[in-house]
């Protein structure tokens, strides 16, 4: 609250923030001060799932003007390196990313950002939907990396927010059947609400037993598995479950070192792919939302004003609901 309002640079815009979602990584930084090699050494503003209103534009900005409603892509390349040149700017080692040390996020009243990574929202797309484009982008990128297409049979491991967006996107991309596993019955119910065809509540089964259940319920082994938990046993189950010649995409992040049945994957030609965030997804997501081809509104289950940020973070930490959204604009009267 005491920070001065920043001035936008030549190619930047100043935004009055509206909606900011809380991500599991935000909670992890808050609780543990690090994620892998990213260590919080100084005070850091959290938040990277965001939308807001343009207040001021830099002298070089021509595609946006004050009053425009925008969604913010949090990753901005700092240099035109080889990864940017071939369209995979998310892999640039020097990329700026909101709320990844030492870069501040946008959970604040006013925030400045590269204008090229702010995307104008159509009138029929809400601020909340704009903020949800960030997690939705993970699903778009993961399903593209997995090669989901017409008729695909897809296994999504985990039905937290990222698992749910993968269900939504996989169905949108033509998946004939999507099966979801999770420990939580309420989360599996939410997966059914957003389009999952089958769900399995996992208890204390072995990875091989989970894989067998997936095959029995689905009626076949899935060609594609999207693993969204990062848990070792779930990764193992995903490899065992995936049809020979298929693909498993690792989305969830867990320990640095994980034991997996690599020979099983190798001799069956199961491709193991990773993803790192996303790239080139905001225009796709906005087009899908504007055309009403997908509905991500049910993901938001809790809303708090910025003044109750601690309560919002505690709610996320307890695993309540699905997506917790903070409202940063005190003049906003929307429900």
């Amino acid at each position: 609250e005491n920070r001065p309002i920043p001035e936008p640079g030549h190619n930047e815009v100043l935004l009055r923030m509206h909606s900011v979602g809380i991500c599991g990584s935000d909670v992890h930084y808050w609780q543990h001060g690090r994620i892998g090699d990213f260590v919080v050494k100084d005070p850091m503003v959290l938040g990277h799932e965001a939308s807001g209103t343009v207040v001021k534009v830099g002298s070089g900005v021509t595609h946006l003007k004050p009053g425009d409603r925008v969604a913010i892509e949090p990753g901005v390349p700092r240099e035109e390196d080889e990864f940017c040149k071939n369209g995979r700017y998310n892999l640039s080692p020097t990329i700026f990313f909101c709320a990844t040390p030492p870069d501040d996020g946008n959970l604040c009243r006013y925030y400045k950002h590269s204008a090229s990574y702010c995307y104008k929202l159509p009138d029929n797309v809400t601020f909340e939907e704009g903020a949800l484009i960030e997690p939705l982008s993970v699903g778009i990128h993961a399903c593209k990396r997995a090669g989901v297409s017409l008729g695909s049979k897809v296994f999504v491991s985990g039905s937290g927010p990222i698992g749910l967006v993968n269900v939504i996107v996989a169905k949108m991309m033509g998946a004939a059947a999507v099966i979801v596993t999770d420990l939580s019955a309420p989360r599996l119910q939410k997966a059914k609400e957003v389009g999952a065809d089958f769900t399995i509540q996992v208890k204390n089964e072995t990875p091989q037993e989970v894989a067998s259940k997936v095959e029995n319920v689905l009626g076949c082994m899935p060609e594609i598995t999207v693993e969204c938990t990062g848990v070792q046993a779930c990764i193992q189950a995903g490899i065992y479950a995936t049809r020979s010649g298929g693909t498993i995409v690792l989305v969830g992040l867990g320990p640095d070192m994980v034991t997996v049945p690599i020979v099983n994957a190798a001799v069956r030609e199961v491709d193991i792919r990773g993803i790192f965030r996303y790239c080139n997804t905001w225009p796709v997501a906005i087009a899908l939302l504007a055309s009403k081809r997908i509905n991500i509104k049910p993901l938001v289950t809790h809303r708090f004003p910025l003044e109750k940020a601690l309560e919002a973070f505690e709610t996320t930490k307890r695993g309540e609901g699905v997506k917790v959204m903070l409202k940063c604009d005190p003049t906003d009267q929307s429900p």
Side-chain angles (χ1 to χ4, degrees), residues 220-294:
C220 63
M221 296 176 76
E223 308 103 306
I224 291 165
T225 295
V226 184
E227 208 301 298
C228 300
T229 72
V231 175
Q232 177 173 282
C234 296
I235 299 172
Q236 293 170 353
I239 290 174
Y240 288 130
T242 306
R243 183 185 303 178
S244 296
T247 301
I248 177 170
V249 174
L250 305 180
V251 181
L253 298 178
D256 286 342
M257 300 297 290
V258 175
T259 301
V260 296
I262 197 71
V263 173
N264 177 285
V267 299
R268 296 194 303 111
E269 296 190 3
V270 172
D271 290 347
I272 301 174
R273 296 184 175 185
I275 72 161
F276 187 60
R277 298 168 180 158
Y278 32 66
C279 59
N280 304 305
T281 53
W282 258 253
V284 174
I286 290 172
L288 289 172
L289 292 169
S291 64
K292 303 303 178 186
R293 296 298 303 277
I294 61 172

Side-chain angles (χ1 to χ4, degrees), residues 209-224:
E209 288 170 340
V210 172
S212 180
K213 279 192 170 186
V214 168
E215 181 179 3
N216 290 337
V217 173
L218 192 59
C220 63
M221 296 176 76
E223 308 103 306
I224 291 165

Side-chain angles (χ1 to χ4, degrees), residues 20-104:
V20 180
I22 299 177
C23 174
S25 66
D26 293 317
V27 174
H28 200 86
Y29 280 127
W30 169 50
Q31 289 293 299
H32 304 286
R34 69 180 300 157
I35 295 178
D37 294 333
F38 296 106
V39 181
V40 179
K41 297 178 181 177
D42 297 298
M44 182 181 77
V45 178
L46 293 169
H48 59 268
E49 305 176 1
S51 63
T53 302
V54 175
V55 175
K56 188 182 293 188
V57 302
S59 57
V61 179
T62 58
H63 71 288
L64 293 172
K65 64 184 185 304
D68 284 346
R69 302 160 58 253
V70 299
I72 301 166
E73 181 173 359
V76 180
R78 285 187 167 96
E79 57 182 316
E80 187 74 10
D81 58 16
E82 60 178 305
F83 299 103
C84 293
K85 289 175 182 176
N86 65 24
R88 302 182 73 178
Y89 56 86
N90 57 312
L91 302 180
S92 175
T94 61
I95 195 168
F96 167 92
F97 197 88
C98 293
T100 295
D103 302 331
D104 280 331

Side-chain angles (χ1 to χ4, degrees), residues 42-247:
D42 297 298
M44 182 181 77
V45 178
L46 293 169
H48 59 268
E49 305 176 1
S51 63
T53 302
V54 175
V55 175
K56 188 182 293 188
V57 302
S59 57
V61 179
T62 58
H63 71 288
L64 293 172
K65 64 184 185 304
D68 284 346
R69 302 160 58 253
V70 299
I72 301 166
E73 181 173 359
V76 180
R78 285 187 167 96
E79 57 182 316
E80 187 74 10
D81 58 16
E82 60 178 305
F83 299 103
C84 293
K85 289 175 182 176
N86 65 24
R88 302 182 73 178
Y89 56 86
N90 57 312
L91 302 180
S92 175
T94 61
I95 195 168
F96 167 92
F97 197 88
C98 293
T100 295
D103 302 331
D104 280 331
N106 44 36
L107 183 52
C108 48
R109 299 281 190 214
Y110 291 91
Y111 172 74
K112 70 174 180 178
H113 198 70
S114 168
S116 296
Y117 291 81
C118 292
Y119 301 83
K120 189 173 179 180
L121 293 173
D123 291 342
N124 67 338
V125 177
T126 68
F127 280 113
E128 279 194 358
E129 289 176 301
L132 289 170
I133 291 175
E134 196 278 341
L136 178 61
S137 287
V138 177
I140 294 171
H141 191 54
C143 286
K144 281 185 175 181
R145 291 273 290 158
V148 178
S149 61
L150 290 172
S152 294
K153 308 285 177 40
V154 181
F155 167 29
V156 176
S157 175
S159 61
I162 296 302
L164 296 176
V165 294
N166 274 283
V167 171
I168 292 169
V169 174
K171 294 293 286 188
M172 181 65 231
M173 291 176 71
V178 176
I179 185 167
V180 184
T181 56
D182 201 279
L183 296 168
S184 165
R187 288 201 164 188
L188 288 173
Q189 179 57 40
K190 182 64 75 170
K192 291 282 274 187
E193 290 174 20
V194 301
D197 299 283
F198 307 101
T199 60
I200 297 173
Q201 186 174 6
V202 177
K203 294 177 181 173
N204 52 8
E205 297 91 342
T206 67
Q208 292 94 332
E209 288 170 340
V210 172
S212 180
K213 279 192 170 186
V214 168
E215 181 179 3
N216 290 337
V217 173
L218 192 59
C220 63
M221 296 176 76
E223 308 103 306
I224 291 165
T225 295
V226 184
E227 208 301 298
C228 300
T229 72
V231 175
Q232 177 173 282
C234 296
I235 299 172
Q236 293 170 353
I239 290 174
Y240 288 130
T242 306
R243 183 185 303 178
S244 296
T247 301

